[in-house]
Amino acid sequence: MPLGKRANMEADAESAHSKQMKVDADQTWDTETEEEAMDETYQISDVYLDTINRSNLDFDFEQQCSVSLSTTNIYACLVCGKYYQGRGPKTHAYFHSINDDHHVFINLQSRQAYILPDNCQINSKSLNDIKQVISPQYSKQAIASLDSREKQAFDLQGKPYLPGFVGLNRIKSNSFMNVVIQLIAHVEPLRNMLLSSGESTGEQPDVLLSKLSLLVRKIWHAQKFKAHVSPHELVQEVVSLSKKRFRLDQEGDPYELLIWLLNTLHIHLGGTRKRNSSIVYQAFQGEMLKKDSKTDRKMPFLALSLELPPKPLFTNTSLDDPDDRAEIPQVSLMTLLQRYGSAQPEHTSMLQLTKLPCYIICHIKRFNKNEFAVEKNPTVVNFPVRNLPFGQLLPQDTREMHGRDTTYDLVINICHVGEQLPQSTPDTAQPDVTAETTGSGESPFMVYIRNEANGKWFMLHDLQVKPIMPQMLFLSDSYIQVWKRND
């Protein structure tokens, strides 16, 4: 082989070898660069996660951008707790991440976290507690064990609380709403239905049901950042849906709100006029027979209204003086219930209970409206806490269907505090039935609830929650009672 040709072949081989080495080196550099970049991303993500301040987070208020006031595609900054819209370039969340150096955001609907402005998705188990606070989820086993669990929980400040027995913020004059919310959250069939409706079904959710379900799930959540809950979103929905029949600027009647809410939930759950067509009717609907001189007609009912004896004309009813308290007339609950019993005297029209529901709502009518004002009847109602014999009110032929001795236990007692004063507003022609009258800005309604796990009673007065003795139930003026059947 000529010398020049051999030299050219050796040069080509050396050139090819050098090119292959360069390609291998380039591939090795690319692989190392990707690994280093991935490690750097994880390190940056870890650094940003350390900036999260859980004490600033509050997910109870309306999901609304703090800049544009929009309610779509809202993200919460996990550093300062403020709400912003969007996460792409030229969005308020994007500018907030640059201007304030806050980089961790979470979508309030999908509960997916991102790092901005890099728009990097975060998949870290350290954020699971925040996702649970935004929208708590419950398994069937967890729901079934709620009434047997007595374990205390602790918030971020180490304050102990019992899940299910937490205070509700008083936004303005909404104590009548707070006691009704607590009632709904502690009636077992309704509570279990609302707790299990946390998972998204893909369909357009009912707004009232979704907000009530979210609030009840937060009340029973055992890993809250704060030992109280704000009903802000549900209150706004109730005001809007009722067309301002129930408002925030004045106290309303909790009985009217309760009946309206139960009927509205029944309709939104697809209920009809048929018996047991919704969980509301399954829990509360009973049946009575209305007898008059012409016909006998069966009527369903959700609550029993009880008439108090007339208020004495010349009696000092100051609740501050024990001597004056002794002058207030007293009556037993069974005496009031005889209005619906079989032993009532013959009248032109009478009501007779024929079917008893699982839960009986008793409404004690304390407020009488005349031409000038609304007066409160301070009559003391005496009642047993356990084994009230509602079965004795049934006619003899229907007692066997319910059992020989049908008794009920008291589980919820809503009371009115203070004396009623007349008050009217320019927007309403009639005076406010339950205007706030305690004189010092104190809420006029409180609720006593029995813990099914141990039988102990708790008093819930807006944010105030404390255990009480059962004897304390008789020191306040009962207004709404819920009785549970002993099966």
Side-chain angles (χ1 to χ4, degrees):
M1 179 181 296
L3 183 60
K5 187 175 182 180
R6 181 178 180 180
N8 291 336
M9 291 179 63
E10 291 178 355
D12 293 340
E14 184 178 356
S15 177
H17 179 68
S18 62
K19 288 181 180 180
Q20 183 65 36
M21 291 182 62
K22 184 176 181 181
V23 170
D24 295 341
D26 290 341
Q27 292 177 351
T28 303
W29 183 87
D30 291 340
T31 304
E32 292 177 354
T33 303
E34 291 177 359
E35 293 178 353
E36 291 177 358
M38 189 176 298
D39 293 340
E40 184 178 358
T41 302
Y42 288 145
Q43 292 175 1
I44 293 176
S45 174
D46 293 340
V47 171
Y48 287 155
L49 292 180
D50 291 340
T51 64
I52 297 176
N53 190 349
R54 286 170 170 79
S55 61
N56 289 337
L57 304 182
D58 188 352
F59 303 108
D60 294 340
F61 293 95
E62 184 180 7
Q63 298 178 5
Q64 187 179 60
C65 177
S66 58
V67 179
S68 65
L69 304 182
S70 174
T71 57
T72 58
N73 197 23
I74 302 302
Y75 288 77
C77 175
L78 298 185
V79 181
C80 64
K82 294 181 179 180
Y83 292 173
Y84 295 95
Q85 184 182 20
R87 76 171 191 271
K90 298 183 179 180
T91 62
H92 299 294
Y94 184 88
F95 291 132
H96 176 72
S97 66
I98 297 176
N99 297 333
D100 292 21
D101 200 24
H102 296 172
H103 300 283
V104 188
F105 292 78
I106 189 168
N107 187 289
L108 296 179
Q109 292 295 328
S110 64
R111 296 185 297 167
Q112 181 59 57
Y114 297 88
I115 292 179
L116 298 183
D118 300 330
N119 199 18
C120 176
Q121 184 173 334
I122 304 174
N123 296 315
S124 175
K125 294 182 179 180
S126 63
L127 301 179
N128 288 346
D129 60 332
I130 298 178
K131 296 178 181 180
Q132 279 292 316
V133 170
I134 295 176
S135 180
Q137 307 295 323
Y138 297 84
S139 62
K140 293 183 179 180
Q141 293 77 9
I143 296 175
S145 64
L146 286 179
D147 290 335
S148 60
R149 183 177 61 187
E150 303 182 39
K151 186 177 180 181
Q152 279 189 335
F154 297 87
D155 62 4
L156 289 179
Q157 284 71 36
K159 180 181 178 181
Y161 69 93
L162 190 63
F165 296 85
V166 296
L168 295 178
N169 272 336
R170 186 186 179 196
I171 303 171
K172 198 173 182 182
S173 297
N174 64 305
S175 69
F176 75 105
M177 295 187 182
N178 288 348
V179 293
V180 172
I181 292 171
Q182 296 283 11
L183 185 153
I184 296 295
H186 287 86
V187 174
E188 184 178 352
L190 285 180
R191 180 202 65 186
N192 294 350
M193 181 272 296
L194 294 171
L195 291 179
S196 61
S197 61
E199 295 293 341
S200 177
T201 60
E203 301 177 357
Q204 185 68 23
D206 184 272
V207 179
L208 178 64
L209 276 175
S210 61
K211 292 186 182 299
L212 181 59
S213 170
L214 179 60
L215 181 58
V216 173
R217 284 184 280 129
K218 288 182 177 180
I219 290 175
W220 285 94
H221 188 42
Q223 297 178 350
K224 285 189 284 290
F225 294 162
K226 298 175 297 181
H228 62 271
V229 182
S230 176
H232 190 272
E233 286 192 274
L234 178 62
V235 167
Q236 285 188 326
E237 181 62 23
V238 168
V239 172
S240 174
L241 197 60
S242 66
K243 299 180 180 179
K244 296 187 178 181
R245 176 183 174 185
F246 307 105
R247 295 157 40 183
L248 280 174
D249 55 351
Q250 68 180 29
E251 290 288 350
D253 189 343
Y255 175 71
E256 292 183 3
L257 174 62
L258 175 61
I259 297 303
W260 175 87
L261 186 58
L262 291 179
N263 285 317
T264 304
L265 288 176
H266 171 72
I267 295 174
H268 287 207
L269 289 170
T272 62
R273 292 188 177 184
K274 295 182 179 179
R275 185 175 177 84
N276 297 331
S277 57
S278 75
I279 191 67
V280 176
Y281 277 13
Q282 294 174 18
F284 294 108
Q285 189 184 49
E287 188 178 81
M288 66 175 64
L289 183 65
K290 184 177 181 180
K291 299 180 180 180
D292 53 29
S293 58
K294 296 181 179 180
T295 59
D296 295 345
R297 182 165 55 95
K298 291 185 177 181
M299 299 170 49
F301 70 89
L302 289 179
L304 300 177
S305 294
L306 307 178
E307 297 281 352
L308 289 174
K311 176 182 177 181
L313 294 178
F314 304 103
T315 301
N316 188 354
T317 57
S318 175
L319 304 182
D320 298 330
D321 191 346
D323 296 334
D324 293 337
R325 180 78 178 183
E327 299 180 7
I328 301 176
Q330 301 185 27
V331 64
S332 69
L333 184 63
M334 281 303 297
T335 301
L336 301 178
L337 287 170
Q338 291 304 319
R339 176 189 181 189
Y340 302 98
S342 57
Q344 58 183 313
E346 293 294 333
H347 295 289
T348 56
S349 178
M350 60 179 293
L351 300 174
Q352 172 65 63
L353 291 177
T354 56
K355 291 183 180 180
L356 297 177
C358 296
Y359 291 83
I360 296 180
I361 301 174
C362 292
H363 168 225
I364 302 174
K365 301 177 68 173
R366 290 196 174 275
F367 303 103
N368 300 316
K369 183 167 53 179
N370 55 35
E371 186 177 354
F372 303 100
V374 177
E375 295 182 350
K376 176 184 175 182
N377 191 329
T379 300
V380 177
V381 179
N382 298 317
F383 51 88
V385 178
R386 290 184 178 272
N387 298 324
L388 185 66
F390 274 92
Q392 296 180 5
L393 303 174
L394 297 171
Q396 191 64 33
D397 56 344
T398 59
R399 291 186 186 182
E400 300 299 331
M401 298 174 55
H402 291 79
R404 182 174 297 273
D405 297 319
T406 304
T407 59
Y408 284 72
D409 289 346
L410 182 66
V411 291
I412 300 171
N413 188 28
I414 296 177
C415 300
H416 183 268
V417 182
E419 300 179 10
Q420 179 60 35
L421 297 179
Q423 179 177 345
S424 59
T425 59
D427 297 334
T428 58
Q430 297 178 347
D432 181 16
V433 175
T434 53
E436 188 171 322
T437 59
T438 53
S440 60
E442 186 180 1
S443 300
F445 292 103
M446 66 173 64
V447 59
Y448 299 96
I449 301 177
R450 191 185 74 181
N451 185 2
E452 295 292 336
N454 51 24
K456 295 181 180 180
W457 284 88
F458 287 83
M459 186 274 291
L460 295 91
H461 196 183
D462 291 336
L463 289 175
Q464 184 181 5
V465 179
K466 64 179 181 180
I468 62 165
M469 299 294 293
Q471 293 79 2
M472 299 289 291
L473 295 172
F474 310 101
L475 299 182
S476 302
D477 298 326
S478 298
Y479 187 53
I480 301 173
Q481 294 183 337
V482 178
W483 295 82
K484 180 181 179 182
R485 185 171 61 197
N486 295 321
D487 294 328

